[in-house]
């Protein structure tokens, strides 16, 4: 059976909040010059103030994570990435922008709904130990114990970063959705778990070579949006984006099983600078 095991959860209070993780929303807006031109300077200035307040991650009631960036190309002008345990706290940003004096001038062009998760392919401590043995580390050696201990600590941090991510302080931002394909000749979901694990381990190793240059957050969207995952990348320099995406195309998991949606590249700015840049 390829189906992932799921635990029969005991009945719990119905809720829209995430208990072990956050809701995530990527929003893209285009500035409409016609709507902007219809605002007198006073209304436009008030709208700017309203927008700056809404985009301020430090304001009371702000979602736990809120990041603003300016988009390259005609797909959009402004990008927001928002995370919170409560999807309505996230949605309140969207509705407040729509309801603000600048609402008509900020035309939604794209959005992506997802939740944070720890991938089923992140090895458990036991699986990591097995891997070390296969790679030739003697389980009785101090090196084995040290490596296992280091992984135990790293795994806690990794889990936290996947479920409750902090944003890295890097200026280049990229988002795109993706699927694992289900074609008759190449169907990810008919592969046994062991094969998928093998491919994702190769993928993880190739990704880790970009440590310090690119940071990734994979959010899950199967059942929530039109693609299965959202891929969010932060890079220290723009060229690293091209390099990582190109490199990963050669991983078996990408080369044979992945398909991608539209790519959005943007540059992270504090809201006031983004608003100035967009000449709103
Ligand atoms: O979480 C971990 O760091 C463990 C290893 C790992 C997993 C399980 C990992 C590492 N990824 C995992 C899961 Mn990834 N990742 C992508 C893309 O270009 C492509 O092929 C697709 C887009 C990039 C660029 C990327 C980068 N990864 C996943 C999954 C979920 C699969 C599932 O659960 O079924 C997807 C869709 C996906 C796609 N990956 C890494 C990276 C990088 C840079 C790493 C190293 C991470 C690090 O060092 O912290």
């Amino acid at each position: 059976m390829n189906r992932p095991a799921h635990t029969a959860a005991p009945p719990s209070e119905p809720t829209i909040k995430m208990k072990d993780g956050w809701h995530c929303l990527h929003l893209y807006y285009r500035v409409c010059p016609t709507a902007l031109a219809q605002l007198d300077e006073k209304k436009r200035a008030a709208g700017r103030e309203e927008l700056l307040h809404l985009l301020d991650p430090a304001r009371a009631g702000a979602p736990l994570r809120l990041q603003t960036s300016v988009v390259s190309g005609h797909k959009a002008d402004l990008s927001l990435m928002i995370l919170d345990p409560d999807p309505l706290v996230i949605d309140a940003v969207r509705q407040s922008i729509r309801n603000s004096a600048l609402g008509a001038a900020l035309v939604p062009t794209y959005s992506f709904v997802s939740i944070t998760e720890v991938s089923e392919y992140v090895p458990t401590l036991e699986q990591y130990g097995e891997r070390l043995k296969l790679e030739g580390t003697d389980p009785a050696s101090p090196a084995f114990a040290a490596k296992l201990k280091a992984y135990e600590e790293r795994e806690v941090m990794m889990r936290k970063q996947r479920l409750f991510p902090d944003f890295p302080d890097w200026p280049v931002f990229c988002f795109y959705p993706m699927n694992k394909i289900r074609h008759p000749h190449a169907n990810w979901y008919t592969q046994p778990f062991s094969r998928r694990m093998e491919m994702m381990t190769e993928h993880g190793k190739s990704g880790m070579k970009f440590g310090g240059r690119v940071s990734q957050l994979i959010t899950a969207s199967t059942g929530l949006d039109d693609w299965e995952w959202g891929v969010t990348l932060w890079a220290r320099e723009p060229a690293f984006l091209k390099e990582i995406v190109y490199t990963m195309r050669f991983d078996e998991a990408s080369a044979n099983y992945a398909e991608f949606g539209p790519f959005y590249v943007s540059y992270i700015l504090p809201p006031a600078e983004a608003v100035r840049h967009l000449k709103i």
Side-chain angles (χ1 to χ4, degrees):
M1 275 298 283
N2 298 318
R3 218 179 279 283
H6 58 261
T7 43
S12 59
E13 277 302 305
T15 177
I16 62 168
K17 290 190 185 170
M18 293 283 290
K19 286 185 192 147
D20 206 13
W22 287 341
H23 288 271
C24 179
L25 181 65
H26 290 76
L27 290 177
Y28 289 86
Y29 290 96
R30 189 178 290 147
V31 178
C32 170
T34 322
L36 261 192
Q38 278 165 7
L39 297 174
D40 61 45
E41 189 41 49
K42 202 167 155 228
K43 198 154 180 220
R44 193 159 155 173
R48 272 196 303 267
E49 286 313 308
E50 242 180 311
L51 184 63
L52 288 183
H53 174 70
L54 289 170
L55 300 186
D56 177 4
R59 73 173 157 84
L64 293 182
R65 297 287 179 274
L66 173 55
Q67 177 190 269
T68 302
S69 57
V70 164
V71 183
S72 265
H74 279 163
K75 287 192 195 107
D77 293 310
L78 175 71
S79 148
L80 304 179
M81 180 179 182
I82 315 175
L83 293 112
D84 196 85
D86 186 339
L88 294 182
V89 168
I90 293 176
D91 196 60
V93 176
R94 197 170 71 85
Q95 304 304 348
S96 304
I97 290 175
R98 183 192 46 74
N99 192 45
S100 73
L102 281 176
L106 289 170
V107 182
T109 58
Y110 189 68
S111 70
F112 197 80
V113 175
S114 59
I115 53 175
T116 63
E117 72 165 2
V118 178
S119 164
E120 61 189 300
Y121 307 110
V122 174
T124 60
L125 197 58
E126 291 70 36
Q127 285 167 331
Y128 186 77
E130 288 309 312
R131 251 181 230 182
L132 287 178
K133 282 187 227 164
L134 283 176
E135 286 165 11
T137 315
D138 174 4
S141 66
F144 184 88
K147 281 184 188 172
L148 214 59
K149 178 100 180 55
Y151 184 73
E152 193 173 13
E153 280 158 19
R154 196 147 53 83
E155 208 243 5
V156 172
M157 291 305 296
M158 239 161 54
R159 202 162 275 276
K160 186 172 164 286
Q161 178 60 16
R162 295 279 174 271
L163 293 175
F164 312 105
D166 276 318
F167 293 160
D169 192 18
W170 291 344
V172 187
F173 185 75
C174 175
F175 174 77
Y176 55 97
M178 68 172 285
N179 287 337
K180 287 283 165 59
I181 62 173
R182 287 178 288 131
H183 294 173
H185 63 280
N187 187 334
W188 179 255
Y189 295 93
T190 57
Q191 297 300 310
F193 181 75
S194 56
R195 270 296 289 140
R196 284 181 280 130
M197 185 62 149
E198 231 169 70
M199 289 188 264
M200 291 312 290
T201 304
E202 181 204 29
H203 163 86
K205 281 188 181 149
S206 105
M208 275 173 233
K209 298 201 181 104
F210 287 85
R213 289 183 289 163
V214 179
S215 178
Q216 118 277 29
L217 179 69
I218 305 301
T219 49
S221 44
T222 311
L224 303 173
D225 212 320
D226 301 341
W227 297 79
E228 295 172 346
W229 288 278
V231 179
T232 304
L233 304 174
W234 290 266
R236 205 181 259 280
E237 292 176 25
F240 297 155
L241 281 183
K242 185 251 161 194
E243 202 181 329
I244 193 172
V245 174
Y246 184 68
T247 302
M248 294 215 150
R249 295 279 155 112
F250 294 90
D251 296 346
E252 198 183 353
S254 278
N256 288 342
Y257 295 103
E259 65 181 355
F260 301 94
F263 280 65
Y264 287 83
V265 172
S266 56
Y267 298 99
I268 297 165
L269 288 177
E273 280 179 45
V275 163
R276 208 173 313 132
H277 176 87
L278 294 175
K279 305 189 191 309
I280 301 175

